[in-house]
Every structure is written in structure tokens, then in C-alpha cells.
Amino acid sequence: MTGSAERPAGVGRYGRFGGRYVPETLMEALIRLDGAFTRAMEDPAFRQDLTGLLTHYAGRPTPLTFCPNLSKRLALRVYLKREDLLHGGAHKLNNTLGQALLARSMGKGRIIAETGAGQHGVATAIAGARLGLPVEVYMGEVDIRRQALNVSRMELLGARVIPVASGTRTLKDAVNEALRDWVERVEDTFYLLGSIVGPHPYPLMVRTFQSVIGEEARRQILEREGRLPDTILACVGGGSNAIGIFHRFLADDVRLIGVEAGGEGLETGMHGASLCAGSPGVLHGALSYLLQDENGQVSDTHSIAAGLDYPGVGPELAHLRESGRMEAVSVTDRAAREAFSLLARTEGIVPAMESAHAIARLVEMAGELDRESVVVVNLSGRGDKDVEAPVGPV
Amino acid sequence: MSRIAAAFREAEGPLFIGYTVAGDPDPGASVRIAASVLDAGADILELGVPFSDPVADGPVIQRAGIRALAAGTTPLGVFRMVREIRDLSEKPIVLLTYYNPVYRRGLARFYGEAAAAGVDGILAVDLPLEEADRARECAREHDLDQILLAAPTTGDARLARIVEAASGFLYLVSRTGVTGTREDLPDDLRGLIGRVKARGSVPVAVGFGISQPAHVRACAAAGADAVIVGSGIVGLVERHLADPPAMQRAIRAYIRRMKGAAGARK
């Protein structure tokens, strides 16, 4: 694994975003975690362990798949980075294996995690089972209902799923409960956060573990096309799959597009598009873009995709957006549902409803792109968990 | 001298700091509750600014925040309540808030409005020393105390920096975990307070899990300059929501009992 861990400027700052806004009880734990992470990434044995797990257990490298039928239909050259084929069915395992190894090296006896769609919960349960660490996953009651398959998978893998009944009973509240748990048991517990959100060093650490996606994709597209892609698309909830594929291309002349959850439409207020429709604010330990009211109360969100149903976004993406390096757009639930079916029928690939947002944007913008443009979409996960969603109640 | 500094200087035993959530269960009732807390003997009022995602709070204060937000409480509403309480009492008032409502309003504006309303100090639960430079600047500009937190997990080097930067008093979190009533205090409270006292002279107020007179006596014996009681009071608000006069009686009796336990040091 070659993920770079170059430090953001200041204490976990990305431009003006990031930082460490947590109760004092957690501060020393974050400082120790930062130190342990830095040492681990400089330790050849740790990197070798992680690379070994990623290769022989998780199934890296994942393929870069050319889509002949979709390409013909859109008059583009469309490639999918197949994180849906990673063990567990989503990109999440890249990060959970890294953090779980770190937890073990720090001597922590217990792992906690939050989950929305359940993919991060499943990936944490997998890593915990493999490395012999007990896992407890906080999950909102709404998400438990709409992603029931993943709840069963987590339990089968030996994890304990703790229902969260507070607030909107979705991902945001699962993070709140995980943080409350961590404040209580900070000495013996490792909080395994699933996205590039939260206080420093989480955004850096998760990016580092996820940037293997872009490392591979860059090498693979150069092999296949002999050049870099024109455009890369990825869905954005917290932003871990997006930064994972974008990071290695930041210095390249490649258009980067983050696709947020437009829900029922931005004008309805029923969405999860923090970058497109939010404003700077502090939630879950970082300053970033946030969906909030004029008094700083965090807004309720909505998305058909549980993994995008979150009012915040990673501070690094807020910075990339503000600096103009990344575009942020949104697509509606309806467009995502259509893209979900489209990819299944044209290419025989069922995407996660989260990833279907990126496909939907590609379909919408295809006409504006030069013919035969090379486009890579990060297919962050597979859609088995969503098979009922297009027809069933949300 | 600030009201907070004067309160600690004149104290004979440990001060009693009572916490209520502004706007719980509604703005008018909240002012009456706060007034009773002060009138029944609290030396300092800590007024919580309700927030949608209170990660440092247990269920009792979470529910109070939900009630306050449902009643339409905003930062401007909180400042109005402070003015009304200030008309009734000259005792120190500290706002306890999460950072986002402050950030959203703008630090300079929030601190200016708080000072104008009669607030004496501001504590942002999720604003550790490392992120607090600008807040401390704003506090200085408006003659407010920026109250900082220390916890049992705070290491010696950071504790020294926090004690040095602290103003008004230091809010010492007695234990890991969120707010809420507990049966027992941690065993090593005296050691914890001693670690702070060894690094400076800022008054130490101990909070989290203090809900019984025996806890107050133990804090006093361990050398605390003040005790902070929150969930114990807020729980009485919740229990008597349907009967405001009974709520007032219960809160007054509780404060008197707790304050009495603070009585004499040692």
C-alpha cells in the first residue's frame, strides 16, 4: 500500500477547515491516536501487514472495468473503479483494516463504530473478526429498518449492533452516540470512524487508508488508455470514497466531481447536500460545510441512500470545493434510482444506491462532455442491500 | 473585578453552581426556574444553550435541549432570558454552549451580545484550548471569562497550559463520560483536584455526576472551590413538567439541601 500521509497544514487544517473540536476528555486520546498513526505509517512492518491483508484477504487491487454498453449509450469512454468487488462489498474495508490494525497495535480491547448504510459497520465487523477485536456498532433505528440485510451481516460477523433512537435516528445520531460511548470509555476503546469527518487525525487517517483507490485507478487507467482520465466522479456523503479516488489525482489536470444526495430536490430542504446547500459550521469535531439553520442547529437530512444521509462532509472536501479544485453537484433520489436500474441492465452491475448517485450525474452531464472523453466513476459499493429500495417504501 | 472573581474571593466554603437549560421547558418558565435556583442559594448560574447534537450530554440534558428547541429557543432568546434573570439577580451567569451556535452567529457578535445581556463567562464544551485562541480574544475584548475544561484524561503538560490560560474558574470534569447523575464519585477526586491546584491558583469547579449532598461534601473535602450540579436540577424540571408550582418547590428544596452540604470546607 502506498497511501501518502503527508500532513495537512496546522493541526489537521485543510485551508480554514478541519481542526479538533471535541470535549476535553477526548483530547489526549486524539493526540495519542495521531502519534500512533504517524508511527504506524512509518513502520515497515505495519505497512506490510496492511498490504498483506489488502491483497490476500480484501482482494486488492480491485479491477478498473470498462463499460462498453454504457459508453456507447453516452458516447464516452466510461470506466468503473470496482470497490463493490472489495471484500464486504464496499470501499469501507480499506479503512477498517487499517484502523483495526492500529487499534491492535495500540492495545485497545474494544472497537466501536457508527454506520449509516451499514457498509462501514459490516467492514468494521469483518476487520474485528479477522483481527480478534470485539466490535460494537451504533446504527440509527431508521437505518436499521431500511438496511436490514447489513444488520444481519454485522451480527453474523459477531458484532453487536446498538440501535440509536435519538434525534433523526440516522447516521448523524449514530455518530453522536458513538462519541458519547467513546467519552465514557476512552481509555480501553478505539473509535473506528468510517469517513473523512471528525476531529484530526481522522480525516487524515481515513484519507490515507482510502487513497489506495486512486493509486490503483491512476496506474490502471494509464495502462488501459495510455493517459489520465478527463473526469472522475464519486458520490459524497462524508466523502471517504471520493477523497480515496481523488487524492492521487489532485496535482493532475483531471476534473474532479463530488456528487451529493439531492434527495427530493435542494429546493425542498429534503436532501443531504452539505457542500451544495450548506454553510461552514462545526459538527462531530471538525469545521466543515454543514446543513444547519441560521441559529447553528443542525438540520434534518434526507436521502434514499442511507450512506449519504448526513448533514456534514469531510473538511478536506470543503476545502477542495472552496479552492475550486473539486466541483460539487447533487442528484435527486429519483435520478439515483434510475441510474441504479440503468447500470444493472446495461452492464450487469448492481451499484450501491450511494454509488448510483455518481452514475446518475454522469448520465445527466454526458451531453456536455467531449465525445469519447475518458471518465472514471468510483463504484464505491455493491447494491444488494438496496435491491428493495427502488420499489419498496423509503 | 469580574462578578465571578468576586464570588470566589468572598466565598467561605465551596460555591454552588446550578445549571439549567435556557428555554426548558419554555422561555418564561426557564427564567423562573433559573431565578429560583439563584434565590434558593446557588452562587453562580450556568445557563445551557440548547444544541441539536449535544455529544457531551447524557439523556436528561439531551431531553431538556429537545424541549427548549421545540419551544423555539435561539441564541437571541437566550440573551433575552439572561437580561430577565439579570434584572432579578446580580449573581454571576455563565453560558455553557456547544461551539456551533457561537461560530454560526459569529464569535465577536455572540460575545458582544452575551456581554451586553449581562453574561459573565462563556464555556464552549467542544472548544478545547488548542482551538480557543479567537474565543479567548473575544472574551477579553468584552470583559468576559472564557471558562476552560480539564478532565481526568488531561495530561500534565496540557493541564499546565489550560490552568495558565483559564479565566474565571476551571471546570474540572470529575470523570470520563457524559453528563448525568451517578451514584458514586470517582475515588481519586482529591488527587485530580490536587493536580490542578499544583499548577496554578485558578478556582476549581468540579462537575459531572454530582447530584447528592454526599457528593458535594466529598468535593468540598477534596478541595474543590465549587461544585456544579446540572442533571439533578434538570431532572426535577422534567419530573414536574405538568405541575410548575411543585417543580419550583422541588428545585428550591433540592438546591437548599445541596447548598447546605457545601457549607463548610473540610
Side-chain angles (χ1 to χ4, degrees):
Chain A
M1 94 140 265
T2 49
S4 79
E6 80 235 35
R7 317 293 293 174
V11 181
R13 289 282 167 181
Y14 306 87
R16 62 178 170 142
F17 299 107
R20 215 154 32 192
Y21 298 88
V22 293
E24 172 60 29
T25 304
L26 295 179
M27 279 300 286
E28 303 275 351
L30 290 169
I31 292 166
R32 280 198 298 274
L33 178 61
D34 192 14
F37 167 66
T38 305
R39 284 190 300 278
M41 294 312 293
E42 288 163 357
D43 175 6
F46 179 90
R47 296 177 68 112
Q48 197 180 341
D49 283 352
L50 181 54
T51 303
L53 281 171
L54 290 174
T55 307
H56 303 296
Y57 179 67
R60 301 218 72 91
T62 58
L64 185 72
T65 300
F66 179 68
C67 296
N69 305 320
L70 193 61
S71 292
K72 193 171 171 196
R73 188 179 174 120
L74 301 178
L76 300 169
R77 296 186 60 73
V78 179
Y79 288 86
L80 302 178
K81 180 57 175 164
R82 300 293 304 281
E83 294 302 296
D84 60 317
L85 293 179
L86 194 69
H87 179 41
H91 72 292
K92 293 292 187 185
L93 194 65
N94 299 322
N95 170 50
T96 61
L97 285 173
Q99 286 198 50
L101 273 177
L102 191 58
R104 197 173 69 175
S105 76
M106 291 175 76
K108 299 290 182 182
R110 171 180 183 256
I111 286 176
I112 58 170
E114 82 297 335
T115 200
Q119 291 300 137
H120 175 59
V122 167
T124 305
I126 290 171
R130 170 73 191 212
L131 297 175
L133 291 163
V135 169
E136 293 175 41
V137 181
Y138 288 91
M139 187 171 188
E141 285 181 343
V142 168
D143 292 337
I144 284 180
R145 204 169 61 236
R146 61 177 165 173
Q147 307 277 226
L149 174 64
N150 277 342
V151 176
S152 307
R153 293 170 77 204
M154 282 184 269
E155 287 171 348
L156 180 64
L157 289 158
R160 181 169 159 241
V161 179
I162 305 170
V164 174
S166 59
T168 54
R169 294 174 292 144
T170 58
L171 179 54
K172 177 195 78 157
D173 303 283
V175 177
N176 288 346
E177 283 307 320
L179 283 169
R180 290 181 184 122
D181 180 313
W182 201 33
V183 170
E184 181 89 34
R185 295 188 57 178
V186 60
E187 300 292 353
D188 75 339
T189 298
F190 188 100
Y191 180 18
L192 207 165
L193 234 174
S195 194
I196 53 164
V197 301
H200 178 69
Y202 283 103
L204 171 67
M205 190 162 63
V206 177
R207 180 193 85 194
T208 301
F209 292 137
Q210 289 295 0
S211 54
V212 66
I213 302 171
E215 297 280 349
E216 287 175 8
R218 195 171 186 280
R219 202 167 56 236
Q220 289 165 320
I221 198 72
L222 285 173
E223 281 166 13
R224 303 285 283 283
E225 289 284 334
R227 67 178 182 91
L228 293 173
D230 299 295
T231 302
I232 304 176
L233 292 120
C235 66
V236 173
S240 71
N241 92 82
I243 200 69
I245 195 162
F246 291 165
H247 189 252
R248 184 62 182 81
F249 293 91
L250 285 180
D252 298 323
D253 183 19
V254 174
R255 191 174 171 194
L256 306 175
I257 303 175
V259 186
E260 296 193 302
E264 302 280 320
L266 296 191
E267 69 288 352
T268 66
M270 300 272 289
H271 59 80
S274 336
L275 291 170
C276 293
S279 54
V282 174
L283 179 69
H284 297 152
L287 172 60
S288 186
Y289 265 68
L290 182 62
L291 293 169
Q292 59 182 330
D293 71 12
E294 71 276 15
N295 295 309
Q297 306 296 343
V298 179
S299 306
D300 291 353
T301 56
H302 164 81
S303 171
I304 188 178
L308 306 183
D309 200 349
Y310 182 69
V313 65
E316 186 165 16
L317 291 191
H319 173 60
L320 291 175
R321 165 77 185 308
E322 204 165 79
S323 67
R325 180 62 191 92
M326 182 192 84
E327 299 162 50
V329 296
S330 71
V331 300
T332 61
D333 285 351
R334 174 194 293 264
R337 269 198 297 260
E338 286 168 8
F340 179 83
S341 304
L342 175 71
L343 193 67
R345 286 172 195 185
T346 54
E347 299 291 345
I349 295 170
V350 180
M353 195 56 80
E354 289 76 13
S355 324
H357 283 69
I359 303 287
R361 182 58 192 168
L362 175 65
V363 172
E364 285 178 2
M365 69 186 294
E368 305 157 20
L369 298 176
D370 292 339
R371 285 181 70 84
E372 302 303 306
S373 289
V374 175
V375 180
V376 174
V377 179
N378 194 15
L379 201 75
S380 55
R382 71 176 185 225
D384 310 40
K385 67 188 181 61
D386 298 309
V387 166
E388 280 182 354
V391 286
V394 179
Chain B
M1 185 188 304
S2 76
R3 286 194 191 92
I4 293 173
F8 278 100
R9 206 181 56 167
E10 291 157 12
E12 311 227 325
L15 299 185
F16 183 90
I17 303 178
Y19 168 93
T20 63
V21 174
D24 171 35
D26 63 67
S30 169
V31 169
R32 289 191 291 277
I33 291 164
S36 291
V37 166
L38 289 171
D39 190 50
D43 301 289
I44 297 176
L45 176 70
E46 216 174 61
L47 201 56
V49 178
F51 180 51
S52 54
D53 294 85
V55 296
D57 285 306
V60 170
I61 291 176
Q62 285 178 44
R63 288 196 294 269
I66 291 168
R67 287 193 296 271
L69 290 175
T73 305
T74 63
L76 266 183
V78 174
F79 298 141
R80 267 197 303 274
M81 289 177 235
V82 169
R83 281 181 207 282
E84 291 180 38
I85 298 164
R86 185 49 80 222
D87 285 344
L88 305 169
S89 171
E90 270 304 307
K91 288 178 178 175
I93 300 175
V94 172
L95 287 188
L96 195 149
T97 183
Y98 287 83
Y99 185 50
N100 196 49
V102 180
Y103 178 83
R104 178 71 165 147
R105 195 152 186 83
L107 270 87
R109 185 176 173 198
F110 189 101
Y111 278 69
E113 290 171 344
V119 167
D120 301 291
I122 295 181
L123 189 165
V125 182
D126 51 353
L127 192 70
L129 178 65
E130 286 82 348
E131 304 286 358
D133 287 354
R134 178 88 184 101
R136 290 169 61 208
E137 232 171 74
C138 289
R140 272 194 300 274
E141 275 168 31
H142 294 283
D143 291 322
L144 294 170
D145 286 315
Q146 180 71 33
I147 315 287
L148 296 172
L149 289 153
T153 51
T154 305
D156 286 342
R158 289 188 64 258
L159 185 58
R161 288 203 297 277
I162 291 169
V163 169
E164 197 191 330
S167 139
F169 59 87
L170 185 79
Y171 189 133
L172 181 61
V173 175
S174 70
R175 63 197 318 149
T176 60
V178 294
T179 59
T181 59
R182 302 285 215 296
E183 279 305 307
D184 301 310
L185 286 183
D187 299 331
D188 52 349
L189 196 55
R190 183 185 293 273
L192 182 59
I193 294 170
R195 281 182 59 213
V196 180
K197 294 273 180 190
R199 286 168 178 82
S201 57
V202 65
V204 178
V206 178
F208 276 48
I210 295 164
S211 59
Q212 301 171 12
H215 299 159
V216 176
R217 282 191 291 273
C219 287
D225 299 298
V227 294
I228 306 166
V229 175
S231 296
I233 298 170
V234 176
L236 291 173
V237 172
E238 180 165 60
R239 190 180 313 161
H240 297 287
L241 279 174
D243 187 351
M247 183 198 294
Q248 294 288 344
R249 284 195 301 276
I251 290 171
R252 284 171 179 272
Y254 179 64
I255 303 278
R256 278 195 293 269
R257 206 162 66 241
M258 295 289 277
K259 168 75 178 171
R265 198 182 276 277
K266 302 278 155 21

